[in-house]
Amino acid sequence: MTKQDLRFFEIMAIINNKFNTSSPVATLKDRFLAPLIQVMEPVTSGRKCPVFTDSEWLLGGVRRVLDSFDSGRDFLQRFSEINGSLSGYFDTLKSDRRLQFVTDLERRICKEMGKALLDLVSQAIPQLAGFDVWLGDGHWHTHATHDFTNEDTKYAVGHLYGLNLRTKALCHLTCADQKNRKKEHDIRALKRLEIDELRQGAPKGQKVIWVWDRAGIDFRQWYHWKKQNGIYFVSRTKKDMKTNEDTVPLTYDKSDPVNEGVTGDFLWATSCGVQLRVVRFYDVISGEHFEFLTSLTDRSIPPGVIAQLYRMRWDIEKSFDVIKNKTHEQKAWGTTANAKTIQAKLITITYNLMLLFESELEKKEGIKNEVEDKRRHARIETTKEKVEKKGDVMPKLYLSLIRVTQVSVKFVRWLRYEVFGLTSDTVALERLRGCYSKS
């Protein structure tokens, strides 16, 4: 039996003991998985299954996301040593109930992150107090090995994800159409979503902002979401949009630091009869001029905030980098839409668990990636010098929102090999400190 098999046996034993986190001395594995246990108990879609309990099934998915398996068969071979079945786990990925179960868990984990993680955005931009802010984008996985198609070409699997700007919680919105469109456009997929998915559980009266790239633009749909559901979109104008016509200039406070870089703020009467807001902005860092488009015409939101929201859309790209290059989730596990959606939600749950655990270790163990912090500050100083050489000044709003935007590869590797390994907790923590101390 290999060391990896022993690790798998050990973690499955923890599952079967229901993660005894009430024990006076909780292990690192217990602490990593504790947020899942906290949100599992009230989930009504869970039930006892004679083949795989929900706990076994869930942990199997988290381990597959986090650990390195050569293939689905590699994963199943280790899993079958506990349950005596090679095909049973993949069969469960087709289940509507399992899909609802993992969807409920994902939503609850996202809420927990709002309680645990520091919200720098509210401190820096108090004007957004009445809004939930989400960054959205599409991401692609390679097709499953056994994906069926009547054509010679097998198409990649598209997913839409959202990232909460305040808490950094990642959620899965939808899997792209598997039947009628080989490569579904973002806005078409967004229109298919239930309003509750776009609002992500925001209470009545709370407004929701989605920051999306140009693939999310639809003037009439934006208007409908705004008027009927309190959902607003921010994006960049497309090259063929003639925003110099039918515009009304808006006044804004040019002395307010939040508006540094803004060169214009306008209301634009589009050809389809919908009024939108256009913000023009000069980025002193890149030296480029940008034009942003939004259905958020509320004048209480300064134009500089609109520009900054789109600048921060890059945070979701950093999340995709973690998924693709650090946990190596690049390929679909199954052939059905349910299987692909369940995989995506297990990915977001695992990603969010990593963020929560990294935050806990910093708060309770004093373990912080100070080397990476120094690198980040050095990059900022270099950028400031370049900007000042051009005679410009770094925007204060930009500087106040500098923060960690992704899980480090050092932490992912440590989590994979130490927390789910056979090393004692004390030794594992010292190894993480050692990893963080090296450049």
Side-chain angles (χ1 to χ4, degrees), residues 29-58:
K29 293 181 285 289
D30 294 339
R31 291 166 64 179
F32 172 69
L33 296 164
L36 267 185
I37 303 310
Q38 293 171 12
V39 299
M40 272 184 67
E41 291 302 322
V43 172
T44 57
S45 53
R47 69 172 177 83
K48 291 184 178 180
C49 177
V51 181
F52 297 107
T53 68
D54 285 337
S55 296
E56 291 172 336
W57 178 84
L58 185 61

Side-chain angles (χ1 to χ4, degrees), residues 26 32 38 63 91 132 145 238 241 296 300 385 391 405:
F32 172 69
Q38 293 171 12
R63 282 300 306 277
D91 289 341
D132 285 351
T145 300
K238 297 181 179 180
M241 289 181 178
L296 192 63
S300 66
E385 290 175 6
T405 55

